[in-house]
Structures are given as C-alpha cells and as structure tokens.
Amino acid sequence: MHELSTVYYVFDAVKKLMVDNHLQEVGAVTLQVGEVSGIIPEYLESFWQFARKKTALFQNTELKIEPIPAVTYCQACRSTYPTVPQGKTCPYCGSGSTFLLKGNEYNIKEIEAK
Ligand SMILES: [Zn+2]
C-alpha cells in the first residue's frame, strides 16, 4: 500500500504547485520514480486511476512515470555502476564498501496545465 500513500502525497504536492502557479486544472503530472525506491510503477498507475476518480481536482489528470536508474558508488575503486544487476558488490574490484548514489527517491518532475 506504499503506492497509495505516494499517490496522496503527490496529490498534496501538486495542489501546492497549482496554488503557487495559479492553475485551475492540471492535465498531466510527470513523476520520476527511482528503480530501487520500492515503488512499483504499475501499482502506482492503478492507484492513481483509483484515487483520481474520488478527487474532483484530479479527475482529468494523467500520470506519467519516468524511471530513474539506480547507481551505486564504490569507495574502494571510485567507480559507479548500475545497482539493479550488480547489487552491493562492486563489479570492478569486488569490494563491498559501496553506497547508493541515486535511485531510491521519487520526484515530481513537471506538471502540465490543462
Ligand atoms: Zn570497486
């Protein structure tokens, strides 16, 4: 149910953006979703469809999802590599002292006025 709370979080954030930008209606919201954010885009999309029907303000608002690839940094050899296929072990030097650079976040990239 992580995705449903994300939808309501995005609704609140978009409402604020609408007030700031003096918008009456929003045609589309583009959300960037990190590969390892724990948010499953298909679920997010279906909860969006469910939630917008119950929210007058967003009844005609489409959701667009852009994935953010996850990238990990290796402190031992200072390389970066894609997180999803490799996990926490550096594919170049085999070190485990790595940390995630990006990919566990989500952001509203843009909203399109109707
Ligand atoms: Zn390494």
Side-chain angles (χ1 to χ4, degrees):
M1 296 303 278
H2 188 46
E3 287 80 5
L4 187 56
S5 56
T6 304
V7 167
Y8 286 116
Y9 174 83
V10 171
F11 277 4
D12 282 346
V14 172
K15 270 183 215 165
K16 289 191 188 100
L17 288 169
M18 289 172 77
V19 170
D20 291 348
N21 294 285
H22 310 288
L23 299 174
Q24 302 299 320
E25 213 177 345
V26 171
V29 173
T30 304
L31 194 68
Q32 294 181 308
V33 177
E35 259 185 332
V36 294
S37 64
I39 295 172
I40 298 164
E42 290 76 19
Y43 290 1
L44 192 62
E45 177 67 33
S46 59
F47 282 124
W48 182 274
Q49 300 306 341
F50 164 81
R52 74 172 182 163
K53 288 191 187 105
K54 297 170 183 284
T55 312
L57 196 58
F58 297 114
Q59 229 143 46
N60 301 310
T61 307
E62 299 294 329
L63 176 67
K64 296 178 185 174
I65 298 172
E66 280 185 10
I68 302 173
V71 177
T72 294
Y73 178 77
C74 172
Q75 290 175 297
C77 72
R78 298 182 184 168
S79 307
T80 57
Y81 63 88
T83 309
V84 170
Q86 305 294 346
K88 288 178 179 163
T89 304
C90 174
Y92 302 108
C93 72
S95 169
S97 44
T98 58
F99 62 87
L100 191 69
L101 277 184
K102 62 170 187 167
N104 65 349
E105 72 277 49
Y106 62 93
N107 318 300
I108 296 169
K109 186 187 175 198
E110 60 182 350
I111 61 174
E112 291 164 33
K114 219 175 163 64

PDB file of all heavy atoms in Angstrom, residues 74-79 81 90-95 98, ligand 1:
ATOM      1  N   CYS A  74      31.351   2.937  -5.612  1.00  0.00           N
ATOM      2  CA  CYS A  74      32.296   2.089  -4.872  1.00  0.00           C
ATOM      3  C   CYS A  74      33.379   2.973  -4.270  1.00  0.00           C
ATOM      4  O   CYS A  74      34.072   3.689  -4.992  1.00  0.00           O
ATOM      5  CB  CYS A  74      32.914   1.050  -5.804  1.00  0.00           C
ATOM      6  SG  CYS A  74      34.242   0.130  -4.997  1.00  0.00           S
ATOM      7  N   GLN A  75      33.516   2.894  -2.936  1.00  0.00           N
ATOM      8  CA  GLN A  75      34.522   3.726  -2.256  1.00  0.00           C
ATOM      9  C   GLN A  75      35.928   3.189  -2.459  1.00  0.00           C
ATOM     10  O   GLN A  75      36.895   3.932  -2.375  1.00  0.00           O
ATOM     11  CB  GLN A  75      34.204   3.788  -0.759  1.00  0.00           C
ATOM     12  CG  GLN A  75      32.960   4.600  -0.484  1.00  0.00           C
ATOM     13  CD  GLN A  75      32.581   4.566   0.980  1.00  0.00           C
ATOM     14  OE1 GLN A  75      32.265   3.509   1.523  1.00  0.00           O
ATOM     15  NE2 GLN A  75      32.616   5.714   1.628  1.00  0.00           N
ATOM     16  N   ALA A  76      36.053   1.903  -2.732  1.00  0.00           N
ATOM     17  CA  ALA A  76      37.380   1.290  -2.891  1.00  0.00           C
ATOM     18  C   ALA A  76      38.032   1.711  -4.205  1.00  0.00           C
ATOM     19  O   ALA A  76      39.192   2.114  -4.226  1.00  0.00           O
ATOM     20  CB  ALA A  76      37.263  -0.226  -2.791  1.00  0.00           C
ATOM     21  N   CYS A  77      37.303   1.612  -5.319  1.00  0.00           N
ATOM     22  CA  CYS A  77      37.923   1.946  -6.609  1.00  0.00           C
ATOM     23  C   CYS A  77      37.306   3.179  -7.263  1.00  0.00           C
ATOM     24  O   CYS A  77      37.662   3.542  -8.373  1.00  0.00           O
ATOM     25  CB  CYS A  77      37.871   0.746  -7.559  1.00  0.00           C
ATOM     26  SG  CYS A  77      36.224   0.369  -8.199  1.00  0.00           S
ATOM     27  N   ARG A  78      36.393   3.815  -6.547  1.00  0.00           N
ATOM     28  CA  ARG A  78      35.771   5.063  -7.003  1.00  0.00           C
ATOM     29  C   ARG A  78      35.059   4.939  -8.349  1.00  0.00           C
ATOM     30  O   ARG A  78      35.046   5.873  -9.153  1.00  0.00           O
ATOM     31  CB  ARG A  78      36.799   6.199  -7.041  1.00  0.00           C
ATOM     32  CG  ARG A  78      37.347   6.465  -5.656  1.00  0.00           C
ATOM     33  CD  ARG A  78      38.331   7.598  -5.647  1.00  0.00           C
ATOM     34  NE  ARG A  78      38.892   7.757  -4.304  1.00  0.00           N
ATOM     35  CZ  ARG A  78      39.949   8.508  -4.019  1.00  0.00           C
ATOM     36  NH1 ARG A  78      40.554   9.170  -4.975  1.00  0.00           N
ATOM     37  NH2 ARG A  78      40.371   8.604  -2.786  1.00  0.00           N
ATOM     38  N   SER A  79      34.484   3.775  -8.587  1.00  0.00           N
ATOM     39  CA  SER A  79      33.683   3.585  -9.796  1.00  0.00           C
ATOM     40  C   SER A  79      32.209   3.732  -9.445  1.00  0.00           C
ATOM     41  O   SER A  79      31.830   3.592  -8.281  1.00  0.00           O
ATOM     42  CB  SER A  79      33.879   2.181 -10.361  1.00  0.00           C
ATOM     43  OG  SER A  79      35.231   1.912 -10.544  1.00  0.00           O
ATOM     44  N   TYR A  81      28.408   2.135 -10.785  1.00  0.00           N
ATOM     45  CA  TYR A  81      27.869   1.046 -11.598  1.00  0.00           C
ATOM     46  C   TYR A  81      26.362   0.931 -11.371  1.00  0.00           C
ATOM     47  O   TYR A  81      25.853   1.408 -10.349  1.00  0.00           O
ATOM     48  CB  TYR A  81      28.602  -0.268 -11.273  1.00  0.00           C
ATOM     49  CG  TYR A  81      28.434  -0.742  -9.845  1.00  0.00           C
ATOM     50  CD1 TYR A  81      27.362  -1.550  -9.490  1.00  0.00           C
ATOM     51  CD2 TYR A  81      29.335  -0.360  -8.844  1.00  0.00           C
ATOM     52  CE1 TYR A  81      27.199  -1.982  -8.182  1.00  0.00           C
ATOM     53  CE2 TYR A  81      29.176  -0.780  -7.545  1.00  0.00           C
ATOM     54  CZ  TYR A  81      28.099  -1.604  -7.220  1.00  0.00           C
ATOM     55  OH  TYR A  81      27.926  -2.010  -5.925  1.00  0.00           O
ATOM     56  N   CYS A  90      30.868  -4.397  -5.724  1.00  0.00           N
ATOM     57  CA  CYS A  90      31.398  -3.704  -6.899  1.00  0.00           C
ATOM     58  C   CYS A  90      31.811  -4.709  -7.976  1.00  0.00           C
ATOM     59  O   CYS A  90      32.577  -5.636  -7.702  1.00  0.00           O
ATOM     60  CB  CYS A  90      32.592  -2.857  -6.473  1.00  0.00           C
ATOM     61  SG  CYS A  90      33.421  -2.091  -7.886  1.00  0.00           S
ATOM     62  N   PRO A  91      31.334  -4.525  -9.216  1.00  0.00           N
ATOM     63  CA  PRO A  91      31.684  -5.471 -10.281  1.00  0.00           C
ATOM     64  C   PRO A  91      33.124  -5.286 -10.773  1.00  0.00           C
ATOM     65  O   PRO A  91      33.663  -6.160 -11.449  1.00  0.00           O
ATOM     66  CB  PRO A  91      30.686  -5.132 -11.398  1.00  0.00           C
ATOM     67  CG  PRO A  91      30.332  -3.695 -11.170  1.00  0.00           C
ATOM     68  CD  PRO A  91      30.404  -3.481  -9.675  1.00  0.00           C
ATOM     69  N   TYR A  92      33.766  -4.158 -10.425  1.00  0.00           N
ATOM     70  CA  TYR A  92      35.117  -3.887 -10.915  1.00  0.00           C
ATOM     71  C   TYR A  92      36.181  -4.442  -9.974  1.00  0.00           C
ATOM     72  O   TYR A  92      37.166  -5.020 -10.402  1.00  0.00           O
ATOM     73  CB  TYR A  92      35.318  -2.380 -11.132  1.00  0.00           C
ATOM     74  CG  TYR A  92      34.304  -1.808 -12.099  1.00  0.00           C
ATOM     75  CD1 TYR A  92      33.271  -0.984 -11.649  1.00  0.00           C
ATOM     76  CD2 TYR A  92      34.355  -2.133 -13.456  1.00  0.00           C
ATOM     77  CE1 TYR A  92      32.322  -0.483 -12.529  1.00  0.00           C
ATOM     78  CE2 TYR A  92      33.416  -1.638 -14.338  1.00  0.00           C
ATOM     79  CZ  TYR A  92      32.400  -0.813 -13.872  1.00  0.00           C
ATOM     80  OH  TYR A  92      31.467  -0.336 -14.735  1.00  0.00           O
ATOM     81  N   CYS A  93      35.998  -4.246  -8.667  1.00  0.00           N
ATOM     82  CA  CYS A  93      37.054  -4.655  -7.728  1.00  0.00           C
ATOM     83  C   CYS A  93      36.557  -5.638  -6.666  1.00  0.00           C
ATOM     84  O   CYS A  93      37.342  -6.128  -5.868  1.00  0.00           O
ATOM     85  CB  CYS A  93      37.664  -3.425  -7.058  1.00  0.00           C
ATOM     86  SG  CYS A  93      36.578  -2.636  -5.869  1.00  0.00           S
ATOM     87  N   GLY A  94      35.258  -5.923  -6.658  1.00  0.00           N
ATOM     88  CA  GLY A  94      34.737  -6.907  -5.706  1.00  0.00           C
ATOM     89  C   GLY A  94      34.529  -6.376  -4.296  1.00  0.00           C
ATOM     90  O   GLY A  94      34.158  -7.121  -3.397  1.00  0.00           O
ATOM     91  N   SER A  95      34.757  -5.092  -4.092  1.00  0.00           N
ATOM     92  CA  SER A  95      34.599  -4.506  -2.761  1.00  0.00           C
ATOM     93  C   SER A  95      33.118  -4.415  -2.377  1.00  0.00           C
ATOM     94  O   SER A  95      32.249  -4.281  -3.228  1.00  0.00           O
ATOM     95  CB  SER A  95      35.227  -3.119  -2.738  1.00  0.00           C
ATOM     96  OG  SER A  95      34.862  -2.445  -1.554  1.00  0.00           O
ATOM     97  N   THR A  98      30.317   0.039  -0.683  1.00  0.00           N
ATOM     98  CA  THR A  98      29.626   0.768  -1.743  1.00  0.00           C
ATOM     99  C   THR A  98      28.413   1.441  -1.139  1.00  0.00           C
ATOM    100  O   THR A  98      27.926   1.014  -0.096  1.00  0.00           O
ATOM    101  CB  THR A  98      29.158  -0.207  -2.837  1.00  0.00           C
ATOM    102  OG1 THR A  98      28.308  -1.185  -2.244  1.00  0.00           O
ATOM    103  CG2 THR A  98      30.335  -0.903  -3.508  1.00  0.00           C
TER     104      THR A  98
HETATM  105 ZN    ZN B   1      35.131  -1.101  -6.773  1.00  0.00          ZN
END
